[in-house]
Amino acid sequence: MKITKICCIGAGYVGGPTMAIIAQKCPQIQVTVVDLNEERIAAWNHTDVSQIPIYEPGLSEIVAEARGCNLFFSTNVEKAIDEAQMIFISVNTPTKTYGKGKGMAADLKFIELCARQIAKVAKDNKIVVEKSTLPVRTAEAIKSILDNTGNGVKFQILSNPEFLAEGTAVQDLLHPDRILIGGDITEEGQKAIQALVDVYANWVPLERILTTNVWSSELSKLTANAFLAQRISSINAMSELCEKTGADVNEVAKAIGMDSRIGSKFLKASVGFGGSCFQKDILNLVYIAKSYGLNEVADYWEQVIIMNDHQKRRFSDNIVKTLYNTVSGKKIAFLGWAFKKDTNDTRESAAIYVADDLISENATIAVYDPKVVRKKVLADLDYLETRTTEANSNSILSFETPYEACEGAHAIAILTEWDEFVAYDWQKIYDSMQKPAFVFDGRNILDKTVLQKIGFVYQAVGS
Ligand SMILES: NC(=O)c1ccc[n+]([C@@H]2O[C@H](COP(=O)([O-])OP(=O)(O)OC[C@H]3O[C@@H](n4cnc5c(N)ncnc54)[C@H](O)[C@@H]3O)[C@@H](O)[C@H]2O)c1
Ligand SMILES: O=c1ccn([C@@H]2O[C@H](COP(=O)(O)OP(=O)(O)O[C@H]3O[C@H](CO)[C@@H](O)[C@H](O)[C@H]3O)[C@@H](O)[C@H]2O)c(=O)[nH]1
């Protein structure tokens, strides 16, 4: 089957960039990305392409090239479903906040809504691709809805999890380590798999396109995230031990990373991992394991989250302790609010939790992040429901430049590893601060020797 029309439901951090690359690499395919969120679609269609809703290096250029040619953003979900032969579901699958599985299981209500809408609208056979990260065996539920509520047309469900990381989405999509496609072992299933393979084969070498059964594909996504997050919690656990023993976590990471069996990636100690995926996906994995009665498996993976929470709390506790056991009335400058560099995404950013702890100790937080606006910072804090919106707003100062954020501050906390932070005039910053001037480097990006020479009291994670 030759695919000429693709629809993607969900114009978020995955749907937008993924479809932009498919459109760029497959000029013969018309790609329509739809979303219920009108504001988001309007932003994707903004005449000034720098205003698209997601910041990713290189993305706006690709959108500018393909948009209006074979890449379209629309709120007309039904029309796009009707016209497409292949429909990607790329909607959010957050942790449940209510009912059974609250705080652990993935909330599949948006997925089910998509399945019901596809069933209602489809008048001819369609391939439905799970792009969202889903619990293992979700394809079964989608198939049941499609087969029982549809118009008698035939659906093939494929699992095609996305492995891009934010901040490097464009490069990850252009040069993926692998593309994973899970499908039925039936003849029809294999044809559907081949149709999707043919799409990716426009730019991905065939040896990097892996096909499996649906359940392996669904579970591989959760497994990959669990393994990646586990490495960060493992090195963060060692960072605490390094601080007690005089070892340096950067040196330990380098030493173990040179063992080719361990590898050097994802061994950067930090204030704790954030992002919309790691915590959500591990909690989901823990919930699935528990639901099969696999308590030891569940406990094993839950420890990754427990360690990460500990790391964030340890960072804020240390700030309070070092500032003579009180931050009340003190100005703490936050450099960075995003969960990592090169993205405007703040979901589950460690900065939110560290700020929340410090505000509870009556500190004032002065935030500077090159890509995150004040509205987002306040919304993130309000989401925790620790205090009123007004109290959060009174405790957060936002600045357009780092120098203003740091002026008069008692301490600086580095929460995101933005490259520009390294290049600042640290002498100028020091001169404008209260003394002693503290720097708590939650990303280990600054040069300790240089900062100490200027006069800062400098503390990094894990040394
Ligand atoms: N963010 C990442 O880096 C990343 C990477 C790999 C996988 N994932 C997974 O991909 C999925 C999407 O993540 P995201 O970060 O793009 O989420 P997101 O919240 O940025 O985007 C999801 C979009 O789906 C829309 N939506 C929800 N229900 C809809 C419906 N019924 N019809 C139309 N639109 C609807 C929302 O309005 C939203 O704009 C999740 O399952 C996530 O776990 C995310
Ligand atoms: O050595 C490291 C590596 C990362 N981090 C932090 O871990 C978090 C997640 O980083 P990263 O994995 O690079 O970004 P995500 O966009 O969350 O990507 C992850 O989650 C996505 C969503 O499922 C997957 O597709 C990706 O493969 C997976 O890397 C961030 O807060 C990072 O700062 C560290 O603290 N130390």
Side-chain angles (χ1 to χ4, degrees):
M1 183 188 195
K2 207 170 160 36
I3 301 295
T4 53
K5 282 192 179 170
I6 284 178
C7 152
C8 173
I9 310 180
Y13 283 86
V14 169
T18 310
M19 292 303 128
I21 299 291
I22 292 184
Q24 188 202 37
K25 293 295 178 186
C26 313
Q28 72 284 12
I29 301 180
Q30 180 184 309
V31 181
T32 307
V33 192
V34 291
D35 205 295
L36 297 174
N37 183 333
E38 288 177 10
E39 203 183 322
R40 210 165 209 187
I41 291 296
W44 279 112
N45 284 323
H46 204 290
T47 41
D48 173 3
V49 83
S50 71
Q51 300 298 311
I52 57 172
I54 287 164
Y55 172 72
E56 278 291 340
L59 179 62
S60 57
E61 291 85 341
I62 292 169
V63 171
E65 190 186 318
R67 201 177 57 184
C69 300
N70 66 329
L71 175 65
F72 302 91
F73 295 92
S74 163
T75 50
N76 195 339
V77 182
E78 297 205 345
K79 180 167 180 275
I81 292 175
D82 181 30
E83 289 178 351
Q85 300 141 298
M86 183 177 268
I87 301 160
F88 286 76
I89 301 182
S90 191
V91 300
N92 36 329
T93 50
T95 304
K96 262 187 103 175
T97 52
Y98 55 89
K100 193 159 182 267
K102 178 180 173 181
M104 299 286 283
D107 192 342
L108 298 180
K109 70 178 174 207
F110 303 114
I111 295 287
E112 175 163 348
L113 275 172
C114 290
R116 288 190 184 277
Q117 194 152 24
I118 294 168
K120 190 178 98 185
V121 172
K123 296 195 282 294
D124 51 9
N125 297 350
K126 311 259 182 223
I127 298 170
V128 175
V129 184
E130 298 176 346
K131 187 49 113 177
S132 297
T133 302
L134 296 169
V136 56
R137 297 204 78 87
T138 306
E140 204 167 37
I142 295 180
K143 186 157 180 48
S144 167
I145 292 168
L146 290 173
D147 288 349
N148 288 301
T149 61
N151 306 314
V153 300
K154 291 215 159 50
F155 295 100
Q156 280 301 319
I157 323 288
L158 300 178
S159 161
N160 172 222
E162 184 49 60
F163 296 99
L164 69 81
E166 289 178 27
T168 52
V170 169
Q171 287 310 312
D172 293 345
L173 287 163
L174 288 174
H175 311 287
D177 284 351
R178 76 323 207 165
I179 294 291
L180 179 58
I181 303 174
D184 271 359
I185 46 169
T186 58
E187 198 188 328
E188 285 307 304
Q190 294 302 304
K191 277 189 192 156
I193 290 179
Q194 192 55 48
L196 186 53
V197 169
D198 290 344
V199 172
Y200 283 111
N202 281 291
W203 78 98
V204 181
L206 279 179
E207 61 274 17
R208 288 187 181 239
I209 305 180
L210 190 66
T211 59
T212 63
N213 79 33
V214 187
W215 320 128
S216 304
S217 173
E218 287 180 335
L219 189 55
S220 295
K221 173 64 196 178
L222 295 184
T223 309
N225 274 356
F227 272 59
L228 289 168
Q230 184 199 40
R231 282 174 73 91
I232 304 170
S233 275
S234 297
I235 200 69
N236 282 343
M238 299 321 292
S239 75
E240 191 169 12
L241 196 53
C242 285
E243 288 166 24
K244 297 284 180 220
T245 56
D248 179 329
V249 78
N250 298 317
E251 292 178 352
V252 172
K254 187 166 182 195
I256 64 165
M258 284 173 76
D259 185 326
S260 60
R261 294 168 302 175
I262 296 175
S264 60
K265 292 181 182 166
F266 261 69
L267 287 180
K268 265 199 94 37
S270 67
V271 55
F273 62 75
S276 64
C277 295
F278 282 169
Q279 174 164 305
K280 158 179 88 71
D281 293 347
I282 293 176
L283 289 173
N284 185 4
L285 189 65
V286 170
Y287 183 75
I288 294 168
K290 277 192 182 151
S291 71
Y292 285 107
L294 308 179
N295 293 328
E296 289 78 5
V297 177
D299 291 349
Y300 178 77
W301 287 111
E302 192 166 18
Q303 202 58 36
V304 173
I305 302 290
I306 292 170
M307 189 62 226
N308 196 50
D309 288 341
H310 172 67
Q311 190 75 352
K312 290 181 273 186
R313 176 55 60 87
R314 204 165 79 71
F315 188 79
S316 51
D317 282 353
N318 181 48
I319 293 179
V320 177
K321 195 177 101 208
T322 309
L323 295 186
Y324 315 106
N325 288 312
T326 177
V327 288
S328 182
K330 292 182 180 168
K331 178 180 177 185
I332 317 283
F334 270 35
L335 293 185
W337 190 267
F339 81 96
K340 63 184 285 197
K341 72 172 181 178
D342 293 339
T343 178
N344 60 348
D345 195 350
T346 64
R347 289 176 289 181
E348 290 301 325
S349 179
I352 305 168
Y353 296 91
V354 175
D356 190 55
D357 286 349
L358 296 176
I359 294 171
S360 292
E361 293 289 334
N362 289 340
T364 299
I365 309 295
V367 182
Y368 170 76
D369 185 292
K371 290 288 172 195
V372 180
V373 295
R374 175 177 174 81
K375 194 174 144 197
K376 192 85 205 41
V377 171
L378 294 178
D380 288 337
L381 281 168
D382 286 348
Y383 187 75
L384 298 183
E385 295 183 348
T386 310
R387 61 191 73 76
T388 62
T389 301
E390 196 191 356
N392 279 330
S393 182
N394 290 338
S395 303
I396 293 282
L397 306 172
S398 307
F399 294 94
E400 294 294 315
T401 74
Y403 297 101
E404 289 169 279
C406 296
E407 195 177 336
H410 293 78
I412 295 171
I414 312 274
L415 275 307
T416 313
E417 73 282 23
W418 287 102
D419 291 338
E420 64 172 65
F421 295 170
V422 181
Y424 289 165
D425 182 343
W426 284 95
Q427 181 69 57
K428 178 175 162 185
I429 290 175
Y430 177 79
D431 292 343
S432 75
M433 286 177 66
Q434 305 273 352
K435 306 293 172 334
F438 295 89
V439 170
F440 299 93
D441 188 348
R443 297 295 187 162
N444 294 356
I445 51 170
L446 300 180
D447 188 326
K448 179 181 173 172
T449 319
V450 171
L451 264 81
Q452 283 181 338
K453 203 163 160 229
I454 292 173
F456 282 105
V457 180
Y458 175 82
Q459 290 192 11
V461 175
S463 61

